[in-house]
Amino acid sequence: MDLRETSGPLISLDLGSARIGVAACDAQRVLAYPVEVIPAGDLALKRIIEIAEEYDPVAVIIGHPLNLSGGEGLAAHRTQTQARDIAEALEMPVLLADERMSSGDAHRRLRLAGRNAKNSRGIVDAQAAVCILETVLHALDQAQDITYEVGVCQ
């Protein structure tokens, strides 16, 4: 799916082992904003489905945790597996986007907003999802699509 050829809202996920950050953008793809942080675990997929039903996105963007060199490590492979599961459950396009700097950027933004590490623990994951989505939106604004679709097992 080429996001340049579609319109409508998007949601993004920052998949972590403890928490999943969720962000969304408006249908015009101007503003990305945090939605919530979901505890990772057995009920996470159910909540992701509920959020997708509520926001009705044309696609879901998932941060792909590549190594700093751009290679794929264990976290990237785990994310790909989770992304395939989410794609199968949602029955909509799920795309991966490089998230190498999203967590660091989220922490920096929260520090600039006066939040320290201790009192931003609950929201940093949602802010990382915002950073992922903003990166994609910026690329789309430059007529680029930096995402790639997750292959779904049939």
Side-chain angles (χ1 to χ4, degrees), residues 103-126:
S103 292
D105 193 28
H107 282 287
R108 182 186 57 78
R109 289 178 182 199
L110 291 169
R111 268 194 317 276
L112 289 172
R115 309 280 306 244
N116 63 31
K118 184 178 179 181
N119 66 16
S120 58
R121 192 171 296 132
I123 61 170
V124 71
D125 300 290

Side-chain angles (χ1 to χ4, degrees), residues 1 3 6-12 23-33 35 51-61 92-93 95 133 136-137 140:
M1 168 183 218
L3 291 175
T6 66
S7 60
L10 303 168
I11 61 173
S12 66
C25 71
D26 58 296
Q28 293 74 34
R29 299 182 184 168
V30 174
L31 179 67
Y33 52 91
V35 172
I51 291 168
E53 288 171 353
E54 179 181 346
Y55 285 82
D56 195 26
V58 296
V60 175
I61 312 296
M92 73 172 55
L95 309 166
L133 191 49
V136 170
L137 295 178
L140 292 173

Side-chain angles (χ1 to χ4, degrees), residues 78-100:
R78 187 176 28 238
T79 295
Q80 290 170 358
T81 299
Q82 291 176 297
R84 280 192 293 276
D85 292 344
I86 291 168
E88 288 176 357
L90 293 178
E91 298 179 351
M92 73 172 55
V94 172
L95 309 166
L96 295 174
D98 184 352
E99 70 154 25
R100 279 181 273 186

Side-chain angles (χ1 to χ4, degrees), residues 1-53:
M1 168 183 218
D2 188 338
L3 291 175
R4 295 171 295 186
E5 298 173 2
T6 66
S7 60
L10 303 168
I11 61 173
S12 66
L13 304 173
D14 178 44
L15 302 176
S17 57
R19 292 173 300 279
I20 299 169
V22 183
C25 71
D26 58 296
Q28 293 74 34
R29 299 182 184 168
V30 174
L31 179 67
Y33 52 91
V35 172
E36 70 180 81
V37 176
I38 303 169
D42 296 337
L43 300 176
L45 184 57
K46 180 178 183 283
R47 183 64 190 133
I48 291 168
I49 292 168
E50 291 170 353
I51 291 168
E53 288 171 353

